[in-house]
Amino acid sequence: MTVYLVGAGPGDADLLTLRGASLLARADVVVYDRLIDTSVLELAGPGAELIDVGKRAGHSSSQGLINDLLVALGHSHECVVRLKGGDSFLFGRGGEEFEALESVGVRCEVVPGVTSAFAAPAVAGIPVTHRGLSHGVTVVTGHTQDGDFVDFRGLANPDLTLVVLMGAARRGAIAGELIEGGLDVATPVAVVEKAYMPGQRVVRCVLGELAAVEVAAPAVLVIGAVAELSYSHLQSVVAASARSAP
Ligand code: SAH
């Protein structure tokens, strides 16, 4: 009677951990989100029940309902896999689900996943830190559910890389605040769309142009000197990416 919060990685099943794959193979039931690739779901055993609680416009299961569902399943099934995109503890609400389960005595275990915050820059050949260019990386959301936005002016630091998740829609405001905070308009930016998914695309620009760049979600914004780099040996992935020069 355990619910496993399994991070599915950013897209293709190749980036799921071996532990995640073996739990999927023996799961009685799998509860999954919208961004989960079918290649990951196919790793579930033939007898597993698959439940989609994906959040789409006009159709969403609220977090409270998901928590209740997980609790009920945790009481009635031996092995429940709760699959989340990327890593469950990075903007995945994994903590809330863990709390809801443990508070009623359902055992819960977290299986880390490869987060898009690092996988998306990586597929574009961008190291999020690089000696001489970036001493660290800040991962931040561009959008919160309560409408309470992060003040990007306070995050303007040319020595650090900024990785923004859920930032596509507010990219213009984010760029504006970073520039107000002191970042140069010529700061390199890479927008990595649909990393490890069909339609993967990398767009390169500078901060001053970000508002005007077309972006398809899901996308990660990589802002800082490293965004100019492109170290990738995955030729087919790079070739599949459309890259628009600044
Ligand atoms: N827990 C997830 C993040 C969930 S928030 C993780 O660790 O990756 C959802 C946001 O993640 C999206 O808005 C987007 O910014 C980013 N994202 C998730 N999958 C992505 C992908 N395959 N390519 C690019 N961005 C992705």
Side-chain angles (χ1 to χ4, degrees), residues 10 35 85-87 90-91 115-116 165-166 192 194-195 197 218-220:
L35 287 177
D87 184 88
L90 191 81
F91 304 128
T115 177
S116 63
L165 273 61
M166 295 175 276
V192 187
K194 301 180 181 160
M197 293 174 165
V220 164

Side-chain angles (χ1 to χ4, degrees), residues 24-239:
L24 269 174
R26 67 180 178 86
D28 302 307
V29 52
V30 178
V31 180
Y32 65 97
D33 280 340
R34 182 171 59 94
L35 287 177
I36 303 299
D37 197 89
T38 49
S39 64
V40 176
L41 296 175
E42 281 164 5
L43 296 174
E49 183 186 352
L50 303 182
I51 303 177
D52 177 1
V53 292
K55 294 173 186 152
R56 294 182 185 87
H59 158 88
S60 69
S61 305
S62 80
Q63 190 61 49
L65 290 176
I66 294 174
N67 293 353
D68 293 347
L69 174 68
L70 292 175
V71 166
L73 293 171
H75 281 307
S76 55
H77 294 75
E78 204 50 52
C79 179
V80 179
V81 167
R82 168 67 172 122
L83 260 186
K84 290 168 165 290
D87 184 88
S88 307
F89 278 177
L90 191 81
F91 304 128
R93 307 190 72 170
E96 291 165 54
E97 293 180 9
F98 190 100
E99 264 176 32
L101 290 159
E102 294 269 324
S103 70
V104 294
V106 176
R107 197 174 176 280
C108 183
E109 190 185 311
V110 177
V111 179
V114 172
T115 177
S116 63
F118 296 151
V123 83
I126 299 169
V128 288
T129 65
H130 191 72
R131 212 140 63 98
L133 284 184
S134 168
H135 301 309
V137 53
T138 304
V139 180
V140 64
T141 176
H143 175 267
T144 58
Q145 287 209 324
D146 45 21
D148 190 15
F149 299 125
V150 171
D151 183 354
F152 279 79
R153 281 170 289 228
L155 296 176
N157 181 340
D159 297 328
L160 300 179
T161 305
L162 200 53
V163 172
V164 187
L165 273 61
M166 295 175 276
R170 288 193 68 246
R171 63 193 178 282
I174 290 167
E177 287 180 18
L178 287 170
I179 291 164
E180 266 180 54
L183 268 198
D184 197 311
V185 290
T187 302
V189 175
V191 179
V192 187
E193 296 173 359
K194 301 180 181 160
Y196 297 98
M197 293 174 165
Q200 173 176 282
R201 195 171 81 114
V202 181
V203 181
R204 309 264 181 170
C205 66
V206 294
L207 194 56
E209 297 167 326
L210 182 57
V213 166
E214 290 223 14
V215 178
V220 164
L221 313 178
V222 188
I223 302 169
V226 293
E228 208 165 30
L229 303 175
S230 179
Y231 300 128
S232 182
H233 297 290
L234 300 174
Q235 289 302 327
S236 59
V237 170
V238 173

